Amino acid sequence: MTVLRSRRVFLPDGVRPASVEFHDGRITAVGAYETDGVDLGSSALLPGLVDSHVHVNEPGRTEWEGFASATRAAAAGGVTTIVDMPLNSIPPTVDVEALEVKRKAASGQCHVDVGFWGGAVPGNASSLPALHEAGVFGFKSFLIDSGVEEFPPLDAAGLETAMRTVDALFIVHAEDPSLVGESSPLYPDFVASRPPAAEARAVETVIELARRTGARAHILHLAAADALPALAAAQRDGVRITAETCPHYLTLRAEDVPSLATEYKCCPPIRGGEHQDALWQALTDGVITCVVSDHSPCTADLKAGDFATAWGGIASVQLGLPAVWTEAHRRDIPLEDVVRWMSAAPADLVGLPYKGRIEVGADADLVAFAPDEPFTVDAARLHHRNPVTPYHGRTLRGVVRQTWLRGRPVDGVTPAGRLLERKKK
């Protein structure tokens, strides 16, 4: 039995001094601060974060990222559970055989617990029920080109077919291709080529499909304020639709991006300050429920060049908590809200009730976090495979002191993560 205590323990019913006892990987008691145990001093005790949007890329593009490096970075950032996207690995996770290839690649390498998304692509609707039964947490699809040829997009009819084939969570990259144009090498032109209207129209398409089929849908990496009114109205109407956003949309602004700084390239693009303000308000209002990384790294050479040719993806799984907390603190938003958006909310999204919370019976996934301590990001010292990030050189607020996975301190050397499956009904 181990006991940790802190003056600031982030519990489901609030933040207070407390002790947390755990044994055999599970929390067994939450008691008074005065209970004998390891005192964390000035550090707060948080639940382990859950990042439901991570591109590990192994196998097939392991030079971009891999399970060992991605999960080591996750743990260093206070993330104890990730759910891996069905692309950009080869093969993509679009059938049971590909899922088994992915699980074999991950086995014995993971420093945090790892689950898997399946993919819905043209022609694989008949494979979805078996893939869901095999334990994926739901199905990702694109309404626009994904960037890799082995994971093509669905049109609205294809997504509706998938939604009617299996009772599952469908997570959607929502940009309407008819409203997306070609980009020049410069950032302002790249942003203009993927306008807010492209997100708004695609979100409306997903809403209509969810309304018509009764399926459960989730909008990935929302960046555009224009999509929020329809999303809020659909939720009020009882449509089963939720949404997430990402640290880069909450902390970086288009007006601050240098014209050729391709480390900032992602899709949808980082937009202007008015969109950022609206995203924060939507989180506060509960229209957006989760903040997850969309960690999507690649090799440095693919990230070089200009905005017309560079790979679109941001590496941030290690930095999400301090990045979001830095901006939240500036906006007088409490850390308690940030923790909920990054732990319990994504755990609930994917159906992991024993993750992302400090309560009796939950996994003892815990984080000692010094919320008032600043640090400057050095890309070379981050744990993801390739040292490219738009946060390099930025001073952020909050340092992860230690991460525990099911009660065991994560040392970054000995992998102790488990492969998770969706809980069957």
Side-chain angles (χ1 to χ4, degrees), residues 108-239:
Q109 290 204 75
C110 300
H111 297 275
V112 303
D113 287 353
V114 178
F116 302 97
W117 294 109
V121 296
N124 85 325
S126 63
S127 299
L128 301 184
L131 188 52
H132 200 231
E133 184 63 22
V136 299
F137 285 88
F139 298 98
K140 179 175 186 177
S141 60
F142 281 75
L143 297 181
I144 193 169
D145 178 50
S146 72
V148 292
E149 62 182 0
E150 68 274 4
F151 201 94
L154 291 173
D155 59 16
L159 181 55
E160 181 170 0
T161 297
M163 285 177 162
R164 292 188 183 280
T165 300
V166 60
D167 181 13
L169 173 60
F170 286 86
I171 63 173
V172 185
H173 181 127
E175 289 181 281
D176 189 310
S178 71
L179 297 178
V180 172
E182 296 295 322
S183 173
S184 85
L186 303 180
Y187 189 70
D189 297 326
F190 171 66
V191 175
S193 75
R194 303 182 87 104
E199 284 191 77
R201 182 179 293 180
V203 168
E204 289 168 1
T205 296
V206 178
I207 289 169
E208 177 55 30
L209 293 176
R211 189 190 303 273
R212 194 156 66 225
T213 64
R216 184 176 169 220
H218 179 75
I219 303 299
L220 299 168
H221 46 50
L222 189 63
D226 305 51
L228 292 169
L231 190 60
Q235 290 169 349
R236 289 194 298 269
D237 288 347
V239 178

Side-chain angles (χ1 to χ4, degrees), residues 6-371:
S6 169
R7 294 285 183 187
R8 289 178 288 178
V9 178
F10 284 67
L11 301 168
D13 59 353
V15 182
R16 65 176 186 268
S19 62
V20 179
E21 172 191 298
F22 48 92
H23 179 67
D24 286 342
R26 292 291 179 98
I27 296 172
T28 53
V30 176
Y33 170 76
E34 291 74 18
T35 304
D36 288 341
V38 177
D39 197 319
L40 298 180
S42 61
S43 293
L45 187 62
L46 316 183
L49 305 186
V50 176
D51 192 338
S52 57
H53 195 150
V54 177
H55 294 268
V56 176
N57 305 333
E58 185 177 6
R61 291 189 174 95
T62 309
E63 69 275 14
W64 292 20
E65 186 66 287
F67 284 101
S69 51
T71 58
R72 189 179 293 113
V79 177
T80 52
T81 302
I82 67 170
V83 187
D84 174 54
M85 285 292 165
L87 74 162
N88 305 302
S89 56
I90 301 174
T93 314
V94 294
D95 54 37
V96 173
E97 293 75 20
L99 175 63
E100 291 310 312
V101 171
K102 181 74 73 81
R103 284 177 170 157
K104 184 176 180 180
S107 181
Q109 290 204 75
C110 300
H111 297 275
V112 303
D113 287 353
V114 178
F116 302 97
W117 294 109
V121 296
N124 85 325
S126 63
S127 299
L128 301 184
L131 188 52
H132 200 231
E133 184 63 22
V136 299
F137 285 88
F139 298 98
K140 179 175 186 177
S141 60
F142 281 75
L143 297 181
I144 193 169
D145 178 50
S146 72
V148 292
E149 62 182 0
E150 68 274 4
F151 201 94
L154 291 173
D155 59 16
L159 181 55
E160 181 170 0
T161 297
M163 285 177 162
R164 292 188 183 280
T165 300
V166 60
D167 181 13
L169 173 60
F170 286 86
I171 63 173
V172 185
H173 181 127
E175 289 181 281
D176 189 310
S178 71
L179 297 178
V180 172
E182 296 295 322
S183 173
S184 85
L186 303 180
Y187 189 70
D189 297 326
F190 171 66
V191 175
S193 75
R194 303 182 87 104
E199 284 191 77
R201 182 179 293 180
V203 168
E204 289 168 1
T205 296
V206 178
I207 289 169
E208 177 55 30
L209 293 176
R211 189 190 303 273
R212 194 156 66 225
T213 64
R216 184 176 169 220
H218 179 75
I219 303 299
L220 299 168
H221 46 50
L222 189 63
D226 305 51
L228 292 169
L231 190 60
Q235 290 169 349
R236 289 194 298 269
D237 288 347
V239 178
R240 299 170 70 199
I241 189 161
T242 52
E244 70 188 34
T245 192
C246 304
H248 39 280
Y249 301 129
L250 295 172
T251 65
L252 307 174
R253 303 187 311 161
E255 46 266 46
D256 300 327
V257 176
S259 290
L260 290 171
T262 53
E263 63 268 27
Y264 290 84
K265 184 177 179 180
C266 58
C267 300
I270 295 163
R271 304 194 185 279
E274 71 279 11
H275 292 277
Q276 186 178 101
D277 292 343
L279 294 174
W280 279 103
Q281 187 61 54
L283 279 164
T284 300
D285 294 343
V287 177
I288 299 173
T289 56
C290 304
V291 179
V292 292
S293 69
D294 190 9
H295 178 74
S296 185
C298 64
T299 55
D301 61 308
L302 292 176
K303 203 64 175 166
D306 58 46
F307 279 94
T309 60
W311 174 256
I314 286 178
S316 65
V317 69
Q318 186 173 339
L319 298 171
L321 175 58
V324 176
W325 168 231
T326 299
E327 182 64 17
H329 184 267
R330 190 183 73 80
R331 293 172 178 264
D332 294 323
I333 293 172
L335 180 58
E336 185 176 0
D337 289 350
V338 172
V339 171
R340 183 179 71 255
W341 296 330
M342 302 185 78
S343 59
D348 291 344
L349 173 73
V350 301
L352 291 172
Y354 53 91
K355 294 290 189 182
R357 64 208 82 213
I358 298 176
E359 63 184 20
V360 173
D363 283 358
D365 297 346
L366 302 165
V367 180
F369 184 62

